[in-house]
Amino acid sequence: MLAGEPHVKYQPAHRRATYERSTEWFQFWLMQRINCDPAKADQYARWMAMKDAPKAEELRCENGPSILP
């Protein structure tokens, strides 16, 4: 949730963040791709803990070195 913003995002920076997160979600689940930016590690750790998530060895980075063990 973004502070001061209802469900429909109207501020450009908030819209962009929402679009990026949605795109990363679909890439993770459908394409087994992740953004290997270390700032995203917590996001992927949460997703990888979900039922039927891809295994770490099935995932590949789309940009840079892996954040996975």
Side-chain angles (χ1 to χ4, degrees):
M1 195 78 187
L2 298 166
E5 194 91 72
H7 182 73
V8 176
K9 310 300 180 239
Y10 59 89
Q11 295 182 38
H14 293 175
R15 291 180 75 144
R16 181 178 179 182
T18 300
Y19 295 152
E20 287 177 0
R21 194 169 35 252
S22 296
T23 300
E24 290 168 351
W25 173 261
F26 285 110
Q27 288 176 335
F28 174 80
W29 287 99
L30 301 177
M31 302 170 71
Q32 288 78 44
R33 286 183 12 197
I34 60 172
N35 179 336
C36 289
D37 179 351
K40 307 272 183 168
D42 289 342
Q43 165 181 287
Y44 290 109
R46 281 192 314 275
W47 294 353
M48 289 171 61
M50 294 179 180
K51 182 182 179 202
D52 297 327
K55 308 269 187 280
E57 57 272 6
E58 297 172 334
L59 297 168
R60 67 182 198 281
C61 290
E62 66 177 33
N63 58 345
S66 178
I67 58 172
L68 302 172

